Amino acid sequence: MPYISNTDAERHEMLSRIGVGSFDELIKAIPETLRLKEPLKLPKPMSELEITRLIQGKTCRNVCVQNTNSFLGAGVYDHFIPAAVDSIVSRPEFFTAYTPYQAEVSQGTLQFIYEYQTMICELTGMGIANASMYDGASAIAEAILMAVRKNRLMKAILPATLHPEYVKVIKIYTEGIGVELLTAPAKNGIMDVEALAMMMDDSIGSVVIQSPNFFGNLEPMHALEKIIHAQPKALFIAACDPIALAILKSPGELGADIVVGEGQALGNSMYMGGPLFGFFATKLDMARLMPGRIVGGTLDAEGKRAYALTLQAREQHIRRDKATSNICSNQSLCTLAATVYLALIGREGLKEVATQSAQKAHYLATELAKCPGCRLAYPDTPFFKEFVLQTPIPAAKIIDSMLPRGIFPGVDMSRFGHENQLMIAVTEKKSKAEIDELIGAMKEVCHV
Amino acid sequence: MSETIFELSSPGRRGCTLPNREIDTPLSSIFPSEMMREKDARLPEVSELDVMRHYIALSHKNHFIEKGLYPLGSCTMKYNPKVHETLVRHSCFNNLHPYQPEITLQGSLELLYELQDDLAEISGMAGVTLQPVAGAQGEFAGLKIIAAYHKAKGNHHKTKIIIPDSAHGTNPATCSLVGFDVVELKSNAEGRCDIDRLREIVDENTAGFMLTNPNTLGLFEAQIEEISKLIHGVDGLIYMDGANLNALMGIVKPGKIGFDVLHFNLHKTFATPHGGGGPGCGPVGVVEKLLPYLPVPMIAKNENGYFFDYGHQATSIGKVHTFYGNFAVMLRAFFYIKMLGAEGLRKVSENAVINANYLMKLIEADYHVTYNEYCMHEFVADSSWQKKEYGVNTLDIAKRLLDKGFHAPTIYFPLIVPEAMMIEPTETESKQSIDAFAAAMIEIAQEIRENPELLHEAPLTTPVRRVDDVRAVKVLDPIFKIET
């Protein structure tokens, strides 16, 4: 039997040391009537070789992005991952360790989290970051709840330019506490600044701005910040792409109070959308209101530098129903990948990743806008690495006709209520030849 | 002292190469200047070798399963099979995008469909969602389902959830997040739910009852039938925190003995590496009448194949994850269940229970075991008498265990046992390794009698000596101060 060490003889020996004649005596506290009479209805156990063959068979029925010319994005991105990332992440010393409850034998985990927190603060321009949330969506939701803890105001504004899947998650997280979510309208694929100004009053607790937003466009952060902070109590929650932060102004510089986002793009594979990880940073003076785990530097008994989990008095295992959040496990291994990725890519490398992604995306956008019947949905709005293309025929048709050629041209926006639109993402991984292949294919497909 | 990665940085050093620029439009023609960053983020500038050495050096400061026993009660730190890692890293798993056309995801969707079914069979539930990404998020989804059920029935008065005082901290925290009031139920002298007290607090306003079974003291909540009568009698629902499910597989089906909602901790029960604190996965199973409230999408099948099913959108609680949860963790659980089968899963539970009872027997002469009966897969020892007699507390014992090459048990939990050590050897440990751990515990008991001072000094041999947690709070230092 795999993964169980004890032999039958050893089991007998152990049972007799315990002082029972059979296993059943050990579970006599379970009433006979509750116990299963039949074995579970599951297939016969498989050997390692058999499961390997089975999985080979199943994976054949997937088409993976690696063997395709893919322009899919909308929240999960195919950025390059250096080989050394997995080499470190898969080390059992990190991989099979647990939450660092015993600091003296967990310094490896604690220190990388401390380094991760530092990197996130550098990128976002904030003073403190936590050790991660489940994903970008839950991070925004927790940010709204944190704003409620800060100012006790129960209204939050979400922009119409926020990822629709995020909105669903935010709704479920905030409704129990009684937060009222308001939607601020969009204009030309970004927030309508004047409309937001009209919505603001002293009952608004927080405003979420995603930039680049769901459509890939960059929001006018300066103008939005002024409007939000015209209300002294309202908090500005910025959700952003960490890659973009290498070249674009940090939300901290732009006056954000809480900065969150999806971290998958930093060294983590797409895995059909999970695991992802949310990053979460804020100003130092709001540390105690923050959800999630935090690592802090300290000293050991000999005065040597050491690390430990800190500010735990906010957490569920101490505060129970009064805790800042119910989060217990986080996405530690994903943040290890992000830490190693950011170390390897480095200061110049991340700028290069961001620059090439933007350059290639803009080249593609310019060329696709020339295809018959195509135009950019938001031609006058700056975007980062993703944009929406208005197409002459339903996007689903384009996607279907490109499937046999091994091209995923983008996300069909009709699933979000936008007909004849494709959302197209480009990363530094796309070669010019691949981009040109899509341009060529679009010209053929749209020429009807 | 270990340097941070930032201190290894040297301007101009590179850790990896990127493609040459094939398109070189100036950024100034792409972005308005006021959007551009003026000052770089001060990320490290290091070589690949610098990175490898640094993180390998850090890794050596960790305890992990392959190094030694990890008896963290309720965390179920069992061995994680290596074949899982080879299989999960297949490029046709890790290079999938959630918005690919469903016809290009048939292999994955089929696996998930089967996993839903297998978990339903193991738990005795009518249906299972795989979407929640952690146990606590499973609790959240489960309580949302309870709230949705009552809302649909017009039970607006049902505002309270009853939780035993021995419960995990996430249970009450989740209740608050969902908007319920928490009513605490004291445990009785036997470490189980006090039914008489329960009878007093159950009323028309009771929305549900949250029970960990086996509970955090390692005891099976044997009065579940009576609890079920009480709670269901007022149209309340019973939630099972399935953190300890590795004691029940093939022995009891929670869905058949009175529980209405249950979350799994795939990472515990079905052996995913814990990764220093995650990612995990917290699927939720429900009985028939709660199926309409499960999060969307479900994985379903029709004549065209497998698909993401949003069919019950109108009644669903909604969505708890951006896409469809922690797919990579689900895969590992799938592999695990397929390799063990019915017989193997039952064996897992049996061995978890035998190992725990065996260990309890070996150390009970030296440590006070709180409840004097057979345990399930874990038990709680209380070192209050050592504290009283020798001034050595549970924290000291935990630190001394680190010196002896073992991780410490979960300490000071459950909260109802003052100097608690919650010990779970798990089923993957052999008799020999349990003997060795017991020997270390007995040695420590001896040391406490002979040289209690040594215990206050511990640990002596770990990468750092005892860490000052209080300082970490008082002098908050959450980021490295980078000099430019």
Side-chain angles (χ1 to χ4, degrees), chain B residues 345-379:
Chain B
L345 293 178
R346 160 99 193 184
K347 275 261 160 65
V348 162
S349 295
E350 286 182 9
N351 277 272
V353 174
I354 292 170
N355 281 358
N357 279 286
Y358 178 67
L359 178 55
M360 185 165 82
K361 190 77 192 171
L362 296 183
I363 66 167
E364 71 183 3
D366 290 276
Y367 295 89
H368 173 69
V369 173
T370 314
Y371 298 94
N372 190 24
E373 61 172 299
Y374 298 127
C375 64
M376 295 298 283
H377 66 306
E378 64 190 356
F379 63 95

Side-chain angles (χ1 to χ4, degrees), chain A residues 41 61 96 115 122 245, chain B residues 37 42 55 66 110 121:
Chain A
K41 288 183 195 63
R61 301 183 58 216
T96 75
E115 293 179 357
E122 273 298 312
L245 294 181
Chain B
R37 192 164 186 136
R42 291 167 298 177
Y55 290 103
E66 287 84 351
E110 185 183 1
E121 168 63 15

Side-chain angles (χ1 to χ4, degrees), chain B residues 108-160:
Chain B
S108 296
L109 294 177
E110 185 183 1
L111 294 180
L112 299 185
Y113 184 82
E114 275 186 44
L115 180 59
Q116 283 178 176
D117 273 0
D118 289 352
L119 292 176
E121 168 63 15
I122 292 165
S123 61
M125 291 292 176
V128 172
T129 171
L130 304 172
Q131 191 180 128
V133 294
Q137 210 187 38
E139 289 174 24
F140 178 67
L143 284 191
K144 276 285 184 189
I145 289 166
I146 292 176
Y149 167 83
H150 288 310
K151 194 176 168 198
K153 291 193 78 178
N155 290 341
H156 301 297
H157 54 290
K158 291 203 176 283
T159 52
K160 69 182 198 187

Side-chain angles (χ1 to χ4, degrees), chain B residues 180-191:
Chain B
F180 285 118
D181 300 326
V182 177
V183 179
E184 193 175 84
L185 173 67
K186 290 222 177 317
S187 300
N188 63 19
E190 284 78 49

Side-chain angles (χ1 to χ4, degrees), chain A residues 47-372:
Chain A
S47 67
E48 185 164 331
L49 182 61
E50 286 163 322
I51 186 91
T52 304
R53 283 194 185 133
L54 174 84
I55 295 307
Q56 294 291 359
K58 305 267 189 198
T59 50
C60 291
R61 301 183 58 216
N62 287 336
V63 178
C64 68
V65 161
Q66 199 181 31
N67 305 326
T68 332
N69 191 9
S70 167
F71 296 86
L72 296 169
V76 171
Y77 300 95
D78 186 22
H79 283 285
F80 168 69
I81 305 171
V85 172
D86 194 50
S87 170
I88 288 171
V89 167
S90 58
R91 299 271 307 183
E93 293 90 333
F94 288 124
F95 209 67
T96 75
Y98 195 61
T99 304
Y101 290 139
Q102 294 292 335
E104 295 81 2
V105 291
S106 309
Q107 288 295 303
T109 296
L110 289 163
Q111 187 173 330
F112 90 66
I113 295 174
Y114 180 80
E115 293 179 357
Y116 161 80
Q117 290 172 180
T118 307
M119 291 173 180
I120 292 298
C121 286
E122 273 298 312
L123 285 170
T124 56
M126 304 308 280
I128 186 168
N130 73 14
S132 79
M133 315 299 291
Y134 301 134
D135 61 358
S138 59
I140 298 175
E142 294 274 7
I144 293 171
L145 297 176
M146 179 175 148
V148 171
R149 285 193 290 279
K150 169 83 179 165
N151 57 27
R152 304 280 154 201
L153 297 172
M154 300 304 279
K155 283 186 191 168
I157 295 180
L158 303 182
T161 55
L162 183 63
H163 198 309
E165 307 280 18
Y166 288 7
V167 175
K168 289 181 192 161
V169 177
I170 292 166
K171 183 171 175 294
I172 196 172
Y173 262 85
T174 54
E175 64 193 356
I177 303 287
V179 177
E180 188 185 340
L181 297 174
L182 310 170
T183 307
K187 203 164 130 185
N188 300 327
I190 51 173
M191 299 267 300
D192 182 336
V193 178
E194 279 152 26
L196 179 70
M198 299 284 285
M199 289 175 79
M200 290 299 295
D201 61 41
D202 61 6
S203 70
I204 304 295
S206 61
V207 181
V208 175
I209 309 290
Q210 188 186 15
S211 183
N213 65 26
F214 175 59
F215 307 107
N217 299 328
L218 298 170
E219 296 283 358
M221 300 285 260
H222 275 299
L224 295 168
E225 188 269 340
K226 279 202 193 82
I227 288 166
I228 297 165
H229 283 154
Q231 294 298 333
K233 282 189 169 178
L235 295 187
F236 174 13
I237 299 168
C240 44
D241 176 342
I243 304 271
L245 294 181
I247 55 174
L248 298 178
K249 269 214 175 90
S250 75
E253 286 174 273
L254 293 161
D257 299 293
I258 307 173
V259 185
V260 291
E262 176 51 58
Q264 174 271 332
L266 304 172
N268 283 272
S269 296
M270 296 188 290
Y271 272 118
M272 212 170 92
L276 309 173
F277 81 88
F279 58 87
F280 192 113
T282 188
K283 295 172 172 170
L284 201 52
D285 62 4
M286 291 199 281
R288 281 170 172 77
L289 297 172
M290 198 179 194
R293 212 165 266 155
I294 300 164
V295 170
T298 182
L299 300 173
D300 76 352
E302 291 175 346
K304 280 201 296 189
R305 184 159 182 71
Y307 302 91
L309 293 174
T310 188
L311 300 183
Q312 295 189 75
R314 310 159 297 123
E315 291 188 70
Q316 38 77 24
H317 58 277
I318 294 177
R319 290 266 285 164
R320 316 281 287 180
D321 54 321
K322 307 280 188 301
T324 54
S325 113
N326 77 332
I327 189 168
C328 179
S329 70
N330 57 358
Q331 308 286 297
S332 197
L333 207 61
C334 302
T335 63
L336 174 61
T339 309
V340 176
Y341 170 81
L342 288 171
L344 283 165
I345 286 279
R347 186 173 180 152
E348 292 303 318
L350 197 69
K351 283 196 314 197
E352 187 63 20
V353 169
T355 302
Q356 287 204 27
S357 299
Q359 287 171 331
K360 288 170 175 172
H362 283 77
Y363 166 73
L364 177 60
T366 307
E367 293 303 311
L368 287 183
K370 297 175 195 162
C371 288

